[in-house]
Amino acid sequence: MTRTAILGLGHYVPSKVVTNDDLAKLFDTSDEWIQQRTGIKERRYIEDSGTGPSDLAVPAVKMACENAGIDVSEVDAIIFATLSPDHDFPGSGCFLGDKLGLAGVPALDVRNQCSGFLYGLQVADAWIRCRMYKRVALVGGEVHSTGLDFSDEGRDVTVLFGDGAACAILGPSDDDDRGVIDVEVHADGSGAKELWIEGPTSANVPRITHEMIDDKTVFPAMNGRHVFRWATTKMPEVSQSVLERNGVSVEDLDLVVPHQANKRINELVTKKLGVAPEKVVHNIQKYGNTTAASIPLALSEAVQEGRAKKGDLILMPAFGSGFTWGAALVRL
Ligand code: UT7
């Protein structure tokens, strides 16, 4: 049976570094609080108006193609995972395809927030295994910084998020031992309003009102403790399920590359699973939570730094808004 391999990885973050102290000048927070509760030291924001997630994705895709040893023109399908699309419609994948000169190449947007990369991986894996496409660019890209509440009221959410993009080029593997072994994903919409943006909404007449801006329902809202509890329950549960189904023990894992939402969450999750701390990749200290981009960004960096190598067995769990969650097991 054809397996799907990660042929190459790439990432891109904007150059503007925003430290915790920078945020403490804008609203009531502190470097100490943010580092203690989340592990974040700084994040990246876009420099200028007019830079969307599809713009951040262009260099990420180019780097991934280079690392995969293919030309960008060989990409035959795009999957773009994002919760902050360039526009409500059309999808960011269409904008990206145009920017890459990929006219006619199908582009699918995935709206599954922090689990978006895993949902996209499951789709890409099925496409490749049934020989529908040969070179899928699976992208996670976010521009959060333009949609955050930089006041005391929004501080719990605003300190967490950063901008960035990353890409995995996926294709059929000629090596039976290499590739995507399993991806399991879930959703439970009963938690939808625990981490969401209420407005604008197509259910409202009219869709956008001045009150939405005045009442700040246009900013993300989160019940942090509730999300924390779910994340630290569901990420170990789904990881265990994937490991057991594939007869893999925690000791067999070379690396765990979790979604980067909170360093404390990932420490707790991997402790519950019994993973040695040195096998867990954290880069939240540099980028904050880049949502759909966070797993491929951490994996791409780990490869660049020589920490993740060909043949490594890697577990990638995620949890986020929806609620959505999942885990992937991959042999790099
Ligand atoms: O990407 C996937 C989804 N997101 C997550 O997975 C996030 C999950 N949740 C979390 O990571 C944590 O709940 C947070 C980091 C968001 C918050 O940490 P916490 O330990 O749960 O803090 P808390 O919400 O219980 O708040 C503790 C205190 C509160 O003050 P009082 O009521 O004790 O006086 C907050 O008002 O910290 C206050 N607080 C802040 N203080 C300084 C909340 N945000 C901030 C802030 N700076 N940025």
Side-chain angles (χ1 to χ4, degrees):
M1 191 178 69
T2 307
R3 268 257 170 92
T4 303
I6 297 182
L7 303 174
L9 288 150
H11 62 275
Y12 177 78
V13 288
S15 57
K16 183 172 169 184
V17 176
V18 178
T19 65
N20 294 340
D21 286 333
D22 292 331
L23 295 181
K25 288 178 198 142
L26 304 174
F27 51 84
D28 183 16
T29 191
S30 66
D31 179 46
E32 191 192 1
W33 191 96
I34 300 171
Q35 283 209 49
Q36 261 180 19
R37 304 277 175 144
T38 72
I40 300 167
K41 295 182 181 174
E42 57 189 43
R43 71 286 291 141
R44 302 296 180 96
Y45 287 179
I46 56 163
E47 295 282 350
D48 305 305
S49 235
T51 306
S54 65
D55 297 296
L56 301 184
V58 170
V61 175
K62 287 183 177 169
M63 178 179 167
C65 286
E66 201 180 319
N67 287 331
I70 66 162
D71 191 79
V72 174
S73 62
E74 292 177 62
V75 168
D76 58 1
I78 295 168
I79 301 179
F80 201 120
T82 182
L83 75 64
S84 55
D86 297 62
H87 294 275
D88 264 3
F89 74 90
S92 286
C94 294
F95 287 104
L96 175 64
D98 185 46
K99 286 166 189 169
L100 292 170
L102 294 173
V105 168
L108 171 73
D109 268 36
V110 169
R111 298 292 305 277
N112 290 76
Q113 302 71 248
C114 303
S115 314
F117 184 77
L118 300 181
Y119 272 79
L121 187 62
Q122 197 181 56
V123 172
D125 182 37
W127 281 353
I128 288 163
R129 280 195 286 119
C130 75
R131 299 167 196 270
M132 185 93 71
Y133 302 111
K134 278 186 154 173
R135 297 286 180 259
V136 179
L138 171 57
V139 176
E142 307 283 359
V143 173
H144 286 299
S145 58
T146 51
L148 299 171
D149 176 6
F150 291 94
S151 77
D152 290 359
E153 268 177 283
R155 64 180 180 172
D156 57 332
V157 173
T158 298
V159 298
L160 301 177
F161 291 97
D163 303 341
C167 172
I169 300 294
L170 302 159
S173 168
D174 39 21
D175 177 352
D176 279 355
D177 294 333
R178 190 181 169 206
V180 176
I181 296 166
D182 201 355
V183 188
E184 181 176 329
V185 289
H186 297 272
D188 183 344
S190 67
K193 295 181 180 178
E194 305 292 349
L195 176 50
W196 71 323
I197 294 188
E198 192 177 341
T201 163
S202 51
N204 203 62
V205 185
R207 190 176 288 192
I208 305 171
T209 63
H210 289 287
E211 288 72 37
M212 286 177 186
I213 296 170
D214 296 340
D215 299 343
K216 298 195 168 194
T217 55
V218 293
F219 292 121
M222 178 175 68
N223 180 349
R225 285 189 188 183
H226 189 78
V227 177
F228 193 101
R229 272 196 301 276
W230 271 70
T232 51
T233 305
K234 292 300 178 188
M235 284 166 78
E237 194 179 281
V238 68
S239 299
Q240 206 69 61
S241 165
V242 168
L243 294 179
E244 272 171 29
R245 187 168 46 252
N246 294 283
V248 170
S249 78
V250 165
E251 290 72 34
D252 296 332
L253 294 171
D254 294 297
L255 223 50
V256 177
V257 183
H259 166 53
Q260 308 283 311
N262 183 327
K263 195 168 181 211
R264 275 164 58 219
I265 291 181
N266 289 345
E267 283 169 351
L268 258 167
V269 166
T270 48
K271 193 172 169 198
K272 275 191 185 180
L273 285 169
V275 178
E278 61 274 15
K279 288 187 177 178
V280 186
V281 173
H282 304 280
N283 67 359
I284 193 169
Q285 64 281 4
K286 293 191 285 182
Y287 305 125
N289 180 349
T290 57
T291 311
S294 93
I295 289 179
L297 174 54
L299 187 58
S300 179
E301 272 202 343
V303 169
Q304 198 176 41
E305 290 162 3
R307 197 167 167 203
K309 295 174 291 303
K310 198 171 170 188
D312 278 356
L313 188 60
I314 301 177
L315 177 74
M316 301 183 281
F319 183 88
S321 163
F323 293 135
T324 59
W325 65 97
L329 186 65
V330 171
R331 173 89 56 193
L332 201 61

